[in-house]
């Protein structure tokens, strides 16, 4: 007799009340707003955690997550619920702007400091690092890269990517800063060790008071505010402005706006702001 396996696990439903619990949790923790249209996203991403723990409902999983000793599971859930899409040299106009308009103005002698503030799996900070290494040569520069998700940070630190991700990396950078994986890493691209060592990867939740990281010449805050409601966005930008040097630049994603949250910032061109 053929064995018919039910697909019920994949299809376990989340009730409206349970959805509201997860919506509130993600809003409180990360500032991320999940619209009701994202119900399927919760089931798609967290369904396997219910299965892993042998739980029958999202309500039970929520209780487990918010229990006293479940910080590890909470991080796993946050990792699963964040959207981490990124690629090398995304929105290339920002890299042109850095090369042509920001770097020529830097103060010689003092380290040029950059923060990639929602760096996902590392493609953004490595793109920045390649450009800075090429343009600044022996001049000092520092690069901090942070994200809320520990899973993507681990990936970022490894500097290992599928080879097809290389298509957006300019050829001269590929030659200078990337290695072609061999053996078990066949089909992969590895960022060269000395470039990897230049980036300080750390976990930072933009929805909380920021750690003291010093002042930056440039902050990339790209494609993360799309997940925030206006009030969260305002607070995040307000937290970041003191971390910019006077005259420093804040770059946001091309599809994002600051919705008038620009006190202390001057718009230079769409998605590019400068601290007064
Ligand atoms: C779509 S990716 C953008 C990556 C990169 N900046 C880019 O433009 O390609 C958004 C990232 O923001 C991170 N994120 C979401 N909420 C965050 C928060 N409250 N604090 C820090 N990072 C957050 C996610 O984990 C995710 O890696």
């Amino acid at each position: 007799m053929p064995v018919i396996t039910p697909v019920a696990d994949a299809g376990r439903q989340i009730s409206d009340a349970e959805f509201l619990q997860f919506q509130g949790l993600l809003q409180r923790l990360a500032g991320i707003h999940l619209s009701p249209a994202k119900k399927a996203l919760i089931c798609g991403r967290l369904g396997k955690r219910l299965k892993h723990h042998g739980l029958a409902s999202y309500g039970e999983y929520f209780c487990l997550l918010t229990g006293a000793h479940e910080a590890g599971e909470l991080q796993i859930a946050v990792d699963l619920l964040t959207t981490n899409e990124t690629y090398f040299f995304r929105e290339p106009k920002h890299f042109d702007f850095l090369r042509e308009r920001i770097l020529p103005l830097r103060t010689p002698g003092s380290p040029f400091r950059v923060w990639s503030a929602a760096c996902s799996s590392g493609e953004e900070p490595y793109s920045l690092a390649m450009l800075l290494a090429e343009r600044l040569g022996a001049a000092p520069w520092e690069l901090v890269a942070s994200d809320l998700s520990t899973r993507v940070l681990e990936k970022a630190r490894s500097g290992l990517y599928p080879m097809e991700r290389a298509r957006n990396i300019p050829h001269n950078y590929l030659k200078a800063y990337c290695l072609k994986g061999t053996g078990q890493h066949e089909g992969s691209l590895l960022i060269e060790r000395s470039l990897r060592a230049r980036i300080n990867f750390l976990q930072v939740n933009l929805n909380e008071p920021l750690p003291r990281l010093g002042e930056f010449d440039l902050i990339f805050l790209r494609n993360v505010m799309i997940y925030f409601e206006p009030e969260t966005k305002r607070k995040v930008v307000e937290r970041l402005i003191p971390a910019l040097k006077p005259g420093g630049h804040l770059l946001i994603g091309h599809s994002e706006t600051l919705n008038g949250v620009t006190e202390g910032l001057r718009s230079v061109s769409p998605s590019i702001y400068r601290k007064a």
Side-chain angles (χ1 to χ4, degrees), residues 29-32 82-87 90-91 116-121 124 146-149 152 204-207 221-224 226-228:
L29 282 179
I32 297 173
T82 50
T83 298
N84 313 111
E85 188 198 338
T86 187
Y87 36 95
R90 182 179 196 177
E91 299 177 350
S116 165
C119 69
S120 188
S121 39
E124 179 177 281
S146 65
D147 201 279
L148 172 65
S149 161
V152 290
V204 173
N205 184 350
L206 296 168
N207 194 42
L221 179 68
R222 307 191 312 163
N223 304 302
V224 59
I226 29 171
Y227 305 107
F228 298 159

Side-chain angles (χ1 to χ4, degrees), residues 105-207:
L105 299 178
R106 75 182 199 284
T107 316
S110 74
F112 185 78
R113 303 194 71 235
V114 181
W115 181 8
S116 165
C119 69
S120 188
S121 39
E123 288 86 336
E124 179 177 281
Y126 285 125
S127 304
L128 286 163
M130 290 180 204
L131 195 154
L132 295 176
E134 180 215 23
R135 288 285 148 163
L136 298 186
W141 55 273
E142 292 171 17
L143 184 43
V144 173
S146 65
D147 201 279
L148 172 65
S149 161
T150 50
R151 182 178 51 93
V152 290
L153 284 169
E154 213 173 292
K155 241 172 124 183
R157 284 189 191 100
S158 77
L160 196 65
Y161 300 95
M163 190 52 88
E164 57 272 17
R165 301 232 122 204
R167 63 178 175 269
N168 292 326
I169 304 179
H171 190 69
N172 56 329
Y173 289 171
L174 260 182
K175 261 180 86 179
Y177 307 115
C178 305
L179 304 167
K180 200 169 162 184
T182 55
Q184 63 167 135
H185 293 313
E186 185 82 46
S188 299
L189 159 126
L190 180 65
I191 305 292
E192 207 248 319
R193 181 198 291 267
S194 61
L195 201 71
R196 268 185 282 146
R198 302 280 318 243
I199 305 179
N200 181 12
F201 286 106
L202 39 103
Q203 187 186 28
V204 173
N205 184 350
L206 296 168
N207 194 42

Side-chain angles (χ1 to χ4, degrees), residues 5-53:
T5 325
V7 287
D9 282 326
R12 198 168 277 144
Q13 295 297 309
I14 184 167
S15 70
D16 288 346
E18 288 168 334
F19 172 76
L20 288 176
Q21 289 181 309
F22 283 93
Q23 188 190 47
L25 182 69
L26 202 60
Q27 177 76 49
R28 280 193 304 282
L29 282 179
I32 297 173
H33 176 70
L34 289 176
S35 70
K38 295 281 166 60
K39 254 175 131 177
L41 177 140
I42 293 203
C43 297
R45 294 189 183 177
L46 296 184
K48 51 188 171 230
R49 297 310 296 167
L50 268 67
K51 196 170 172 191
H52 174 87
H53 290 288

